[in-house]
PDB file of all heavy atoms in Angstrom:
ATOM      1  N   SER A   1      -7.513   9.655  14.772  1.00 91.00           N
ATOM      2  CA  SER A   1      -8.379  10.491  15.629  1.00 91.00           C
ATOM      3  C   SER A   1      -7.555  11.621  16.231  1.00 91.00           C
ATOM      4  O   SER A   1      -6.328  11.618  16.198  1.00 91.00           O
ATOM      5  CB  SER A   1      -8.986   9.599  16.739  1.00 91.00           C
ATOM      6  OG  SER A   1      -7.994   9.059  17.552  1.00 91.00           O
ATOM      7  N   GLY A   2      -8.256  12.614  16.775  1.00 88.00           N
ATOM      8  CA  GLY A   2      -7.633  13.734  17.407  1.00 88.00           C
ATOM      9  C   GLY A   2      -7.147  14.768  16.383  1.00 88.00           C
ATOM     10  O   GLY A   2      -7.405  14.684  15.206  1.00 88.00           O
ATOM     11  N   ASP A   3      -6.407  15.760  16.914  1.00 85.00           N
ATOM     12  CA  ASP A   3      -5.959  16.858  16.094  1.00 85.00           C
ATOM     13  C   ASP A   3      -4.754  16.499  15.249  1.00 85.00           C
ATOM     14  O   ASP A   3      -4.427  17.194  14.301  1.00 85.00           O
ATOM     15  CB  ASP A   3      -5.595  18.059  16.946  1.00 85.00           C
ATOM     16  CG  ASP A   3      -6.797  18.690  17.669  1.00 85.00           C
ATOM     17  OD1 ASP A   3      -7.919  18.510  17.115  1.00 85.00           O
ATOM     18  OD2 ASP A   3      -6.628  19.267  18.734  1.00 85.00           O
ATOM     19  N   LEU A   4      -4.039  15.479  15.572  1.00 86.00           N
ATOM     20  CA  LEU A   4      -2.800  15.102  14.859  1.00 86.00           C
ATOM     21  C   LEU A   4      -2.954  13.893  13.994  1.00 86.00           C
ATOM     22  O   LEU A   4      -2.126  12.996  13.990  1.00 86.00           O
ATOM     23  CB  LEU A   4      -1.653  14.906  15.891  1.00 86.00           C
ATOM     24  CG  LEU A   4      -1.336  16.133  16.749  1.00 86.00           C
ATOM     25  CD1 LEU A   4      -0.264  15.803  17.764  1.00 86.00           C
ATOM     26  CD2 LEU A   4      -0.873  17.284  15.865  1.00 86.00           C
ATOM     27  N   GLN A   5      -4.037  13.824  13.209  1.00 88.00           N
ATOM     28  CA  GLN A   5      -4.241  12.693  12.325  1.00 88.00           C
ATOM     29  C   GLN A   5      -3.098  12.689  11.290  1.00 88.00           C
ATOM     30  O   GLN A   5      -2.757  13.717  10.745  1.00 88.00           O
ATOM     31  CB  GLN A   5      -5.596  12.806  11.637  1.00 88.00           C
ATOM     32  CG  GLN A   5      -6.743  12.646  12.616  1.00 88.00           C
ATOM     33  CD  GLN A   5      -8.066  12.645  11.917  1.00 88.00           C
ATOM     34  OE1 GLN A   5      -8.203  12.179  10.811  1.00 88.00           O
ATOM     35  NE2 GLN A   5      -9.074  13.220  12.595  1.00 88.00           N
ATOM     36  N   ARG A   6      -2.563  11.512  11.065  1.00 90.00           N
ATOM     37  CA  ARG A   6      -1.427  11.387  10.148  1.00 90.00           C
ATOM     38  C   ARG A   6      -1.129   9.937   9.838  1.00 90.00           C
ATOM     39  O   ARG A   6      -1.588   9.041  10.525  1.00 90.00           O
ATOM     40  CB  ARG A   6      -0.198  12.045  10.773  1.00 90.00           C
ATOM     41  CG  ARG A   6       0.232  11.384  12.083  1.00 90.00           C
ATOM     42  CD  ARG A   6       1.282  12.142  12.850  1.00 90.00           C
ATOM     43  NE  ARG A   6       0.813  13.462  13.170  1.00 90.00           N
ATOM     44  CZ  ARG A   6       1.591  14.531  13.222  1.00 90.00           C
ATOM     45  NH1 ARG A   6       2.871  14.430  13.004  1.00 90.00           N
ATOM     46  NH2 ARG A   6       1.082  15.693  13.467  1.00 90.00           N
ATOM     47  N   SER A   7      -0.317   9.737   8.832  1.00 92.00           N
ATOM     48  CA  SER A   7       0.169   8.397   8.494  1.00 92.00           C
ATOM     49  C   SER A   7       1.251   7.999   9.486  1.00 92.00           C
ATOM     50  O   SER A   7       1.828   8.823  10.186  1.00 92.00           O
ATOM     51  CB  SER A   7       0.728   8.363   7.091  1.00 92.00           C
ATOM     52  OG  SER A   7       1.942   9.106   7.044  1.00 92.00           O
ATOM     53  N   LEU A   8       1.544   6.754   9.535  1.00 92.00           N
ATOM     54  CA  LEU A   8       2.618   6.255  10.406  1.00 92.00           C
ATOM     55  C   LEU A   8       4.002   6.790   9.981  1.00 92.00           C
ATOM     56  O   LEU A   8       4.807   7.115  10.818  1.00 92.00           O
ATOM     57  CB  LEU A   8       2.611   4.736  10.518  1.00 92.00           C
ATOM     58  CG  LEU A   8       1.344   4.159  11.166  1.00 92.00           C
ATOM     59  CD1 LEU A   8       1.418   2.650  11.260  1.00 92.00           C
ATOM     60  CD2 LEU A   8       1.030   4.802  12.499  1.00 92.00           C
ATOM     61  N   PRO A   9       4.295   6.873   8.660  1.00 92.00           N
ATOM     62  CA  PRO A   9       5.602   7.471   8.279  1.00 92.00           C
ATOM     63  C   PRO A   9       5.732   8.935   8.779  1.00 92.00           C
ATOM     64  O   PRO A   9       6.784   9.314   9.214  1.00 92.00           O
ATOM     65  CB  PRO A   9       5.598   7.392   6.786  1.00 92.00           C
ATOM     66  CG  PRO A   9       4.725   6.235   6.457  1.00 92.00           C
ATOM     67  CD  PRO A   9       3.648   6.278   7.485  1.00 92.00           C
ATOM     68  N   ARG A  10       4.647   9.702   8.697  1.00 92.00           N
ATOM     69  CA  ARG A  10       4.743  11.112   9.165  1.00 92.00           C
ATOM     70  C   ARG A  10       4.888  11.127  10.681  1.00 92.00           C
ATOM     71  O   ARG A  10       5.625  11.954  11.221  1.00 92.00           O
ATOM     72  CB  ARG A  10       3.541  11.908   8.705  1.00 92.00           C
ATOM     73  CG  ARG A  10       3.693  13.378   9.026  1.00 92.00           C
ATOM     74  CD  ARG A  10       2.855  14.312   8.143  1.00 92.00           C
ATOM     75  NE  ARG A  10       1.466  14.044   8.173  1.00 92.00           N
ATOM     76  CZ  ARG A  10       0.533  14.875   8.734  1.00 92.00           C
ATOM     77  NH1 ARG A  10       0.925  16.005   9.294  1.00 92.00           N
ATOM     78  NH2 ARG A  10      -0.711  14.555   8.664  1.00 92.00           N
ATOM     79  N   LEU A  11       4.229  10.194  11.368  1.00 91.00           N
ATOM     80  CA  LEU A  11       4.438  10.087  12.819  1.00 91.00           C
ATOM     81  C   LEU A  11       5.924   9.807  13.105  1.00 91.00           C
ATOM     82  O   LEU A  11       6.516  10.430  13.978  1.00 91.00           O
ATOM     83  CB  LEU A  11       3.540   8.956  13.390  1.00 91.00           C
ATOM     84  CG  LEU A  11       3.795   8.578  14.855  1.00 91.00           C
ATOM     85  CD1 LEU A  11       3.323   9.728  15.761  1.00 91.00           C
ATOM     86  CD2 LEU A  11       3.094   7.299  15.194  1.00 91.00           C
ATOM     87  N   ALA A  12       6.484   8.869  12.368  1.00 92.00           N
ATOM     88  CA  ALA A  12       7.903   8.516  12.587  1.00 92.00           C
ATOM     89  C   ALA A  12       8.849   9.673  12.285  1.00 92.00           C
ATOM     90  O   ALA A  12       9.898   9.797  12.901  1.00 92.00           O
ATOM     91  CB  ALA A  12       8.269   7.315  11.702  1.00 92.00           C
ATOM     92  N   MET A  13       8.429  10.530  11.360  1.00 92.00           N
ATOM     93  CA  MET A  13       9.286  11.663  11.009  1.00 92.00           C
ATOM     94  C   MET A  13       9.170  12.839  11.965  1.00 92.00           C
ATOM     95  O   MET A  13      10.035  13.707  11.990  1.00 92.00           O
ATOM     96  CB  MET A  13       8.917  12.176   9.603  1.00 92.00           C
ATOM     97  CG  MET A  13       9.163  11.151   8.509  1.00 92.00           C
ATOM     98  SD  MET A  13       8.452  11.647   6.933  1.00 92.00           S
ATOM     99  CE  MET A  13       9.612  12.907   6.388  1.00 92.00           C
ATOM    100  N   THR A  14       8.124  12.855  12.784  1.00 90.00           N
ATOM    101  CA  THR A  14       7.864  14.014  13.629  1.00 90.00           C
ATOM    102  C   THR A  14       8.023  13.773  15.117  1.00 90.00           C
ATOM    103  O   THR A  14       7.853  14.689  15.916  1.00 90.00           O
ATOM    104  CB  THR A  14       6.444  14.575  13.375  1.00 90.00           C
ATOM    105  OG1 THR A  14       5.488  13.522  13.616  1.00 90.00           O
ATOM    106  CG2 THR A  14       6.298  15.056  11.951  1.00 90.00           C
ATOM    107  N   GLN A  15       8.405  12.554  15.500  1.00 89.00           N
ATOM    108  CA  GLN A  15       8.636  12.283  16.928  1.00 89.00           C
ATOM    109  C   GLN A  15      10.066  11.750  17.122  1.00 89.00           C
ATOM    110  O   GLN A  15      10.482  10.837  16.408  1.00 89.00           O
ATOM    111  CB  GLN A  15       7.611  11.281  17.451  1.00 89.00           C
ATOM    112  CG  GLN A  15       6.233  11.888  17.509  1.00 89.00           C
ATOM    113  CD  GLN A  15       5.219  11.036  18.271  1.00 89.00           C
ATOM    114  OE1 GLN A  15       5.535   9.929  18.647  1.00 89.00           O
ATOM    115  NE2 GLN A  15       4.077  11.598  18.543  1.00 89.00           N
ATOM    116  N   SER A  16      10.761  12.296  18.084  1.00 89.00           N
ATOM    117  CA  SER A  16      12.228  12.057  18.189  1.00 89.00           C
ATOM    118  C   SER A  16      12.576  10.589  18.323  1.00 89.00           C
ATOM    119  O   SER A  16      13.532  10.130  17.680  1.00 89.00           O
ATOM    120  CB  SER A  16      12.815  12.848  19.377  1.00 89.00           C
ATOM    121  OG  SER A  16      12.208  12.454  20.584  1.00 89.00           O
ATOM    122  N   GLY A  17      11.911   9.809  19.150  1.00 89.00           N
ATOM    123  CA  GLY A  17      12.256   8.408  19.297  1.00 89.00           C
ATOM    124  C   GLY A  17      12.096   7.608  17.988  1.00 89.00           C
ATOM    125  O   GLY A  17      12.987   6.838  17.637  1.00 89.00           O
ATOM    126  N   TRP A  18      11.053   7.893  17.268  1.00 91.00           N
ATOM    127  CA  TRP A  18      10.830   7.229  15.997  1.00 91.00           C
ATOM    128  C   TRP A  18      11.843   7.672  14.948  1.00 91.00           C
ATOM    129  O   TRP A  18      12.226   6.934  14.084  1.00 91.00           O
ATOM    130  CB  TRP A  18       9.422   7.431  15.489  1.00 91.00           C
ATOM    131  CG  TRP A  18       8.377   6.750  16.325  1.00 91.00           C
ATOM    132  CD1 TRP A  18       7.375   7.333  17.030  1.00 91.00           C
ATOM    133  CD2 TRP A  18       8.207   5.343  16.527  1.00 91.00           C
ATOM    134  NE1 TRP A  18       6.600   6.366  17.670  1.00 91.00           N
ATOM    135  CE2 TRP A  18       7.092   5.128  17.361  1.00 91.00           C
ATOM    136  CE3 TRP A  18       8.923   4.205  16.074  1.00 91.00           C
ATOM    137  CZ2 TRP A  18       6.666   3.898  17.770  1.00 91.00           C
ATOM    138  CZ3 TRP A  18       8.455   2.962  16.475  1.00 91.00           C
ATOM    139  CH2 TRP A  18       7.385   2.784  17.314  1.00 91.00           C
ATOM    140  N   ARG A  19      12.260   8.943  14.998  1.00 90.00           N
ATOM    141  CA  ARG A  19      13.248   9.443  14.049  1.00 90.00           C
ATOM    142  C   ARG A  19      14.586   8.733  14.188  1.00 90.00           C
ATOM    143  O   ARG A  19      15.392   8.685  13.296  1.00 90.00           O
ATOM    144  CB  ARG A  19      13.466  10.959  14.222  1.00 90.00           C
ATOM    145  CG  ARG A  19      12.379  11.796  13.605  1.00 90.00           C
ATOM    146  CD  ARG A  19      12.791  13.242  13.434  1.00 90.00           C
ATOM    147  NE  ARG A  19      13.288  13.869  14.623  1.00 90.00           N
ATOM    148  CZ  ARG A  19      12.561  14.649  15.445  1.00 90.00           C
ATOM    149  NH1 ARG A  19      11.291  14.916  15.144  1.00 90.00           N
ATOM    150  NH2 ARG A  19      13.090  15.180  16.512  1.00 90.00           N
ATOM    151  N   THR A  20      14.828   8.130  15.357  1.00 89.00           N
ATOM    152  CA  THR A  20      16.058   7.379  15.570  1.00 89.00           C
ATOM    153  C   THR A  20      15.883   5.942  15.119  1.00 89.00           C
ATOM    154  O   THR A  20      16.735   5.370  14.424  1.00 89.00           O
ATOM    155  CB  THR A  20      16.437   7.421  17.075  1.00 89.00           C
ATOM    156  OG1 THR A  20      16.594   8.739  17.476  1.00 89.00           O
ATOM    157  CG2 THR A  20      17.705   6.614  17.358  1.00 89.00           C
ATOM    158  N   VAL A  21      14.766   5.320  15.501  1.00 91.00           N
ATOM    159  CA  VAL A  21      14.577   3.871  15.262  1.00 91.00           C
ATOM    160  C   VAL A  21      14.248   3.588  13.804  1.00 91.00           C
ATOM    161  O   VAL A  21      14.796   2.606  13.224  1.00 91.00           O
ATOM    162  CB  VAL A  21      13.484   3.325  16.212  1.00 91.00           C
ATOM    163  CG1 VAL A  21      13.144   1.875  15.856  1.00 91.00           C
ATOM    164  CG2 VAL A  21      13.980   3.414  17.656  1.00 91.00           C
ATOM    165  N   THR A  22      13.341   4.353  13.198  1.00 92.00           N
ATOM    166  CA  THR A  22      12.873   4.032  11.846  1.00 92.00           C
ATOM    167  C   THR A  22      13.990   3.957  10.810  1.00 92.00           C
ATOM    168  O   THR A  22      14.051   2.983  10.048  1.00 92.00           O
ATOM    169  CB  THR A  22      11.755   4.988  11.430  1.00 92.00           C
ATOM    170  OG1 THR A  22      10.731   4.893  12.419  1.00 92.00           O
ATOM    171  CG2 THR A  22      11.194   4.615  10.092  1.00 92.00           C
ATOM    172  N   PRO A  23      14.913   4.915  10.757  1.00 92.00           N
ATOM    173  CA  PRO A  23      16.016   4.796   9.784  1.00 92.00           C
ATOM    174  C   PRO A  23      16.891   3.565  10.052  1.00 92.00           C
ATOM    175  O   PRO A  23      17.427   2.979   9.108  1.00 92.00           O
ATOM    176  CB  PRO A  23      16.826   6.088   9.959  1.00 92.00           C
ATOM    177  CG  PRO A  23      15.865   7.043  10.586  1.00 92.00           C
ATOM    178  CD  PRO A  23      14.943   6.230  11.426  1.00 92.00           C
ATOM    179  N   MET A  24      17.006   3.170  11.316  1.00 91.00           N
ATOM    180  CA  MET A  24      17.786   1.975  11.648  1.00 91.00           C
ATOM    181  C   MET A  24      17.152   0.729  11.014  1.00 91.00           C
ATOM    182  O   MET A  24      17.863  -0.139  10.522  1.00 91.00           O
ATOM    183  CB  MET A  24      17.793   1.806  13.170  1.00 91.00           C
ATOM    184  CG  MET A  24      19.145   1.699  13.763  1.00 91.00           C
ATOM    185  SD  MET A  24      19.192   1.636  15.576  1.00 91.00           S
ATOM    186  CE  MET A  24      17.621   1.037  16.128  1.00 91.00           C
ATOM    187  N   LEU A  25      15.827   0.675  11.037  1.00 94.00           N
ATOM    188  CA  LEU A  25      15.133  -0.451  10.421  1.00 94.00           C
ATOM    189  C   LEU A  25      15.487  -0.557   8.932  1.00 94.00           C
ATOM    190  O   LEU A  25      15.880  -1.598   8.425  1.00 94.00           O
ATOM    191  CB  LEU A  25      13.639  -0.335  10.576  1.00 94.00           C
ATOM    192  CG  LEU A  25      13.035  -0.416  11.987  1.00 94.00           C
ATOM    193  CD1 LEU A  25      11.573  -0.189  11.954  1.00 94.00           C
ATOM    194  CD2 LEU A  25      13.379  -1.746  12.595  1.00 94.00           C
ATOM    195  N   TYR A  26      15.302   0.563   8.220  1.00 94.00           N
ATOM    196  CA  TYR A  26      15.569   0.562   6.778  1.00 94.00           C
ATOM    197  C   TYR A  26      17.026   0.285   6.453  1.00 94.00           C
ATOM    198  O   TYR A  26      17.331  -0.425   5.516  1.00 94.00           O
ATOM    199  CB  TYR A  26      15.086   1.893   6.180  1.00 94.00           C
ATOM    200  CG  TYR A  26      13.597   1.934   6.106  1.00 94.00           C
ATOM    201  CD1 TYR A  26      12.841   2.518   7.115  1.00 94.00           C
ATOM    202  CD2 TYR A  26      12.898   1.374   5.029  1.00 94.00           C
ATOM    203  CE1 TYR A  26      11.468   2.544   7.062  1.00 94.00           C
ATOM    204  CE2 TYR A  26      11.538   1.405   4.966  1.00 94.00           C
ATOM    205  CZ  TYR A  26      10.830   1.988   5.985  1.00 94.00           C
ATOM    206  OH  TYR A  26       9.446   1.997   5.929  1.00 94.00           O
ATOM    207  N   ALA A  27      17.954   0.786   7.272  1.00 94.00           N
ATOM    208  CA  ALA A  27      19.382   0.563   7.057  1.00 94.00           C
ATOM    209  C   ALA A  27      19.735  -0.913   7.241  1.00 94.00           C
ATOM    210  O   ALA A  27      20.723  -1.396   6.721  1.00 94.00           O
ATOM    211  CB  ALA A  27      20.225   1.401   8.006  1.00 94.00           C
ATOM    212  N   ASN A  28      18.904  -1.647   7.981  1.00 92.00           N
ATOM    213  CA  ASN A  28      19.114  -3.063   8.249  1.00 92.00           C
ATOM    214  C   ASN A  28      18.147  -3.964   7.438  1.00 92.00           C
ATOM    215  O   ASN A  28      17.835  -5.058   7.855  1.00 92.00           O
ATOM    216  CB  ASN A  28      19.029  -3.343   9.747  1.00 92.00           C
ATOM    217  CG  ASN A  28      20.256  -2.831  10.450  1.00 92.00           C
ATOM    218  OD1 ASN A  28      21.319  -3.408  10.343  1.00 92.00           O
ATOM    219  ND2 ASN A  28      20.115  -1.719  11.159  1.00 92.00           N
ATOM    220  N   ASN A  29      17.658  -3.435   6.302  1.00 96.00           N
ATOM    221  CA  ASN A  29      16.802  -4.236   5.393  1.00 96.00           C
ATOM    222  C   ASN A  29      15.517  -4.677   6.049  1.00 96.00           C
ATOM    223  O   ASN A  29      15.080  -5.816   5.839  1.00 96.00           O
ATOM    224  CB  ASN A  29      17.603  -5.417   4.806  1.00 96.00           C
ATOM    225  CG  ASN A  29      18.717  -4.946   3.920  1.00 96.00           C
ATOM    226  OD1 ASN A  29      18.513  -4.120   3.063  1.00 96.00           O
ATOM    227  ND2 ASN A  29      19.898  -5.482   4.149  1.00 96.00           N
ATOM    228  N   GLN A  30      14.929  -3.821   6.840  1.00 96.00           N
ATOM    229  CA  GLN A  30      13.620  -4.091   7.407  1.00 96.00           C
ATOM    230  C   GLN A  30      12.664  -3.083   6.823  1.00 96.00           C
ATOM    231  O   GLN A  30      12.588  -1.940   7.307  1.00 96.00           O
ATOM    232  CB  GLN A  30      13.679  -4.047   8.908  1.00 96.00           C
ATOM    233  CG  GLN A  30      14.634  -5.163   9.440  1.00 96.00           C
ATOM    234  CD  GLN A  30      14.597  -5.353  10.920  1.00 96.00           C
ATOM    235  OE1 GLN A  30      13.737  -4.862  11.627  1.00 96.00           O
ATOM    236  NE2 GLN A  30      15.571  -6.076  11.399  1.00 96.00           N
ATOM    237  N   ILE A  31      12.000  -3.438   5.769  1.00 96.00           N
ATOM    238  CA  ILE A  31      11.195  -2.533   4.948  1.00 96.00           C
ATOM    239  C   ILE A  31       9.718  -2.738   5.260  1.00 96.00           C
ATOM    240  O   ILE A  31       9.157  -3.832   5.160  1.00 96.00           O
ATOM    241  CB  ILE A  31      11.442  -2.831   3.420  1.00 96.00           C
ATOM    242  CG1 ILE A  31      12.922  -2.827   3.106  1.00 96.00           C
ATOM    243  CG2 ILE A  31      10.660  -1.828   2.580  1.00 96.00           C
ATOM    244  CD1 ILE A  31      13.674  -1.584   3.412  1.00 96.00           C
ATOM    245  N   TYR A  32       9.061  -1.626   5.648  1.00 97.00           N
ATOM    246  CA  TYR A  32       7.659  -1.650   5.971  1.00 97.00           C
ATOM    247  C   TYR A  32       6.893  -0.702   5.051  1.00 97.00           C
ATOM    248  O   TYR A  32       7.417   0.335   4.671  1.00 97.00           O
ATOM    249  CB  TYR A  32       7.420  -1.236   7.453  1.00 97.00           C
ATOM    250  CG  TYR A  32       7.872  -2.296   8.406  1.00 97.00           C
ATOM    251  CD1 TYR A  32       9.184  -2.383   8.811  1.00 97.00           C
ATOM    252  CD2 TYR A  32       6.984  -3.263   8.868  1.00 97.00           C
ATOM    253  CE1 TYR A  32       9.623  -3.367   9.682  1.00 97.00           C
ATOM    254  CE2 TYR A  32       7.373  -4.254   9.750  1.00 97.00           C
ATOM    255  CZ  TYR A  32       8.698  -4.320  10.145  1.00 97.00           C
ATOM    256  OH  TYR A  32       9.089  -5.297  10.996  1.00 97.00           O
ATOM    257  N   VAL A  33       5.659  -1.072   4.725  1.00 96.00           N
ATOM    258  CA  VAL A  33       4.808  -0.282   3.843  1.00 96.00           C
ATOM    259  C   VAL A  33       3.615   0.176   4.657  1.00 96.00           C
ATOM    260  O   VAL A  33       2.979  -0.604   5.365  1.00 96.00           O
ATOM    261  CB  VAL A  33       4.346  -1.137   2.635  1.00 96.00           C
ATOM    262  CG1 VAL A  33       3.432  -0.319   1.742  1.00 96.00           C
ATOM    263  CG2 VAL A  33       5.570  -1.660   1.851  1.00 96.00           C
TER     264      VAL A  33
END
């Protein structure tokens, strides 16, 4: 909803907090689809 409709990966790529945490998950074998 709203003007910023997007997938969760794009949300993670465009907000600073998520840009830090999300790569940490993948680097530690925590894979989400």
Side-chain angles (χ1 to χ4, degrees):
S1 62
D3 293 334
L4 300 176
Q5 294 184 34
R6 62 190 59 214
S7 69
L8 296 182
R10 188 156 57 111
L11 172 69
M13 295 170 77
T14 57
Q15 291 192 351
S16 62
W18 292 116
R19 281 196 308 261
T20 302
V21 173
T22 304
M24 235 176 22
L25 294 176
Y26 287 93
N28 287 288
N29 295 311
Q30 297 188 14
I31 309 301
Y32 288 85
V33 178

